[in-house]
Amino acid sequence: MPRPLGDLEDAVMTRVWQWNRPVTVREVLEDLQQERSIAYTTVMTVMDNLHQKGWVRREVDGRAYRYTAVSTRAAYSAALMNEAWSRSDNPAAALVAFFGMMSAEQREALQDAMRVVQPKLSGSAETPPAEQAGEQPIEGAAERAGAVTGEPAGEEAGGPAGDRAGDPADGTGPGAGR
């Protein structure tokens, strides 16, 4: 099961996720140095640790490595939420409390996400009940949910297949069992 990333790990992974391309330690270092004083060896160690944990894969490029995210930030966030929820002794109460903490924008994102996954949850490709009743489908719901999750509309969360199988969102990928 995934563990939350530390502050520096999160700062490094944020760049890897945002840039969405193979990155070097030097590139991450130079970007981090705009915010704080940090040594090359510190960033190198963090990136190596992220590789050991399975959050990034790396390929040799000359005398350096290029690191690529194994999963998306959305899948990482989902795995953390799933982990926290699964540890609750009263999952329903935990969800009620969580929903109560949500902002209006977060509730709207949740509603959009539910519209996207509802057909998958029901296991059918039939016309949704709202459309059967003559209602118009909600324009852009899948795209808004994709913007919320960071995933392109219609794609499953989980990111690229890497040298470690599995998806942190389902407890089989990076950080599983830790």
Side-chain angles (χ1 to χ4, degrees):
M1 293 189 199
R3 291 186 180 193
L5 297 173
D7 289 342
L8 187 52
E9 288 175 323
D10 185 67
V12 169
M13 282 306 300
T14 293
R15 282 144 180 90
V16 175
W17 281 318
Q18 285 176 344
W19 295 340
N20 197 27
R21 62 174 172 77
V23 300
T24 64
V25 170
R26 175 86 41 213
E27 290 173 309
V28 174
L29 170 73
E30 289 172 359
D31 199 60
L32 285 170
Q33 285 179 331
Q34 294 176 24
E35 300 171 3
R36 63 177 97 178
S37 176
I38 190 166
Y40 179 92
T41 53
T42 301
V43 177
M44 182 175 63
T45 299
V46 168
M47 293 188 84
D48 184 61
N49 290 343
L50 290 167
H51 177 257
Q52 296 301 320
K53 291 178 180 182
W55 287 103
V56 294
R57 68 173 168 257
R58 63 186 181 195
E59 297 174 8
V60 176
D61 183 14
R63 293 180 18 194
Y65 286 113
R66 289 204 173 267
Y67 294 85
T68 308
V70 170
S71 186
T72 64
R73 180 178 277 287
Y76 166 72
S77 297
L80 289 179
M81 289 187 290
N82 187 54
E83 167 72 10
W85 186 48
S86 68
R87 290 179 180 241
S88 174
D89 59 349
N90 188 339
L95 282 176
V96 169
F98 179 64
F99 295 155
M101 294 177 194
M102 291 179 149
S103 68
E105 293 81 21
Q106 290 170 322
R107 286 190 301 274
E108 184 177 333
L110 175 62
Q111 290 170 341
D112 287 346
M114 289 303 297
R115 287 182 194 105
V116 171
V117 300
Q118 193 64 43
K120 293 178 187 177
L121 296 176
S122 67
S124 70
E126 296 176 18
T127 305
E131 290 181 40
Q132 289 175 359
E135 295 178 26
Q136 295 298 315
I138 298 170
E139 294 297 319
E143 289 75 14
R144 284 195 306 277
V148 170
T149 64
E151 298 291 335
E155 291 189 19
E156 297 294 328
D163 51 7
R164 290 190 54 162
D167 179 345
D170 66 12
T172 63
R178 293 187 190 178

